[in-house]
Amino acid sequence: MGDVLAGFHAAWEFESDSVLIRYERGIRTPKLFQALGTRRIPLTALEGVTLTAGKRGTVVLRAEPRPGADPLMDAADGQLKENHDPYRLVLPAERETLAEYYADELRARLTESGPADRHLVAPPAAPLQFKAYDGKASFDGTTVSFRWFWTGASSAKWKAGDQKFSVADLSGVEWRSPELFEGHLRLLPREADAARPAQPDQDPASVVFGLGYGAVHESLPFAAAVLAAIRSASPPAPAAVTAPRRDPADIAERIRRLGELHQAGLVTDEEFSVKKAELLAEL
């Protein structure tokens, strides 16, 4: 589509096969958004769009990712606070009509639903690193390294020594937010080990978080990158996707709404002509 909808902390650019999200940099922008920078979300990674009333005179446009499509959301496992949700775009309430139009436009282009069989959204790029309470975690794209701090690491970790893990030997990542009790990042081996310690502070395959250590904007992108590398080690064959034919009545309704936005001055003459031509081309 190519149109841009700017809100608080981010701007969404609607393209024919994806949504390009550019997060702002600024003192009021969540640090996670600043760390993510720019993300391209393929439409095949989305299964829905909602528009709801927000707080203090705002509306919230939210794209709903498919389970398994985004390594960041997979790693977060529902632990992100609402204001850290990278799929939310908060706008002033006076832009609700325009937001509703784009919600309808985006919704009409979605063809997939249900769990994805592979990650469709690109993970944060390696190399990545962050400081946990008991050690420094590093990832170069193929190997995760833990280097212990003498001020925080348990005697069990000191005895085991610094650790290196190939993604080929891992089955997953367990991330527990530092904003929750006992936050940590634990690497899960492909082969179960009955002797593995239950507590992350005793497990050499884990680093634990603490006040000021393992912050969300550092540890979550790290976990997502590792998880994506693990999953991509043996990717499944992609399934063929056939776009459904558009309902002429739906196209007519979208053109009618586009005309209303044009008459209200929310869409320029050029934007109206281009959009109308795109819609007619879908018939």
Side-chain angles (χ1 to χ4, degrees):
M1 288 181 273
D3 296 348
V4 177
L5 184 61
F8 300 115
H9 309 317
W12 290 12
E13 182 175 349
F14 301 91
E15 301 180 343
S16 61
D17 61 351
S18 62
V19 178
L20 183 65
I21 304 178
R22 294 188 177 91
Y23 300 100
E24 293 183 355
R25 293 186 176 276
I27 192 171
R28 297 190 178 186
T29 301
K31 290 184 178 180
L32 176 61
F33 293 177
Q34 297 185 50
L36 295 176
T38 299
R39 305 187 83 210
R40 185 179 299 279
I41 312 298
L43 298 187
T44 53
L46 303 176
E47 64 179 358
V49 185
T50 61
L51 182 65
T52 58
K55 301 176 181 178
R56 296 185 292 275
T58 63
V59 293
V60 179
L61 180 65
R62 186 180 189 273
E64 299 175 352
R66 296 169 61 196
D70 185 350
L72 188 82
M73 303 305 285
D74 269 8
D77 194 24
Q79 298 173 75
L80 285 178
K81 292 183 177 179
E82 187 178 73
N83 64 336
H84 284 163
D85 184 347
Y87 285 88
R88 294 174 78 248
L89 181 65
V90 183
L91 306 110
E94 56 265 25
R95 306 195 73 188
E96 181 176 4
T97 301
L98 189 60
E100 186 175 4
Y101 166 74
Y102 282 113
D104 288 344
E105 281 283 288
L106 184 56
R107 195 176 291 118
R109 292 175 180 266
L110 302 184
T111 61
E112 301 295 323
S113 63
D117 59 2
R118 60 191 175 91
H119 287 146
L120 301 171
V121 181
L128 294 167
Q129 62 182 27
F130 72 93
K131 289 184 178 180
Y133 175 74
D134 58 355
K136 180 180 179 180
S138 304
F139 180 54
D140 62 6
T142 59
T143 303
V144 181
S145 302
F146 293 157
R147 180 170 61 82
W148 307 122
F149 296 154
W150 69 270
T151 53
S154 65
S155 57
K157 290 184 177 179
W158 271 114
K159 184 177 180 180
D162 293 343
Q163 300 289 302
K164 288 183 180 295
F165 303 88
S166 169
V167 295
D169 298 327
L170 300 175
S171 64
V173 177
E174 179 183 87
W175 181 78
R176 293 293 177 264
S177 173
E179 298 177 344
L180 304 175
F181 182 64
E182 295 185 341
H184 63 267
L185 182 145
R186 188 197 298 260
L187 304 177
L188 307 177
R190 291 193 180 276
E191 297 183 4
D193 184 355
R196 188 176 186 184
Q199 297 300 319
D201 65 336
Q202 301 296 314
D203 186 355
S206 303
V207 289
V208 298
F209 306 148
L211 185 63
Y213 294 94
V216 171
H217 70 282
E218 297 175 336
S219 61
L220 179 56
F222 184 101
V226 175
L227 181 59
I230 294 171
R231 297 279 177 85
S232 65
S234 54
V241 177
T242 302
R245 297 187 64 179
R246 302 301 182 189
D247 183 353
D250 177 58
I251 297 294
E253 174 62 18
R254 288 162 64 190
I255 291 176
R256 183 189 67 79
R257 296 193 61 185
L258 178 64
E260 292 177 351
L261 291 173
H262 180 232
Q263 291 180 356
L266 296 173
V267 175
T268 66
D269 292 344
E270 181 180 358
E271 290 171 335
F272 173 75
S273 298
V274 171
K275 280 297 188 184
K276 183 177 179 180
E278 288 179 356
L279 291 170
L280 291 174
E282 294 183 22
L283 291 173

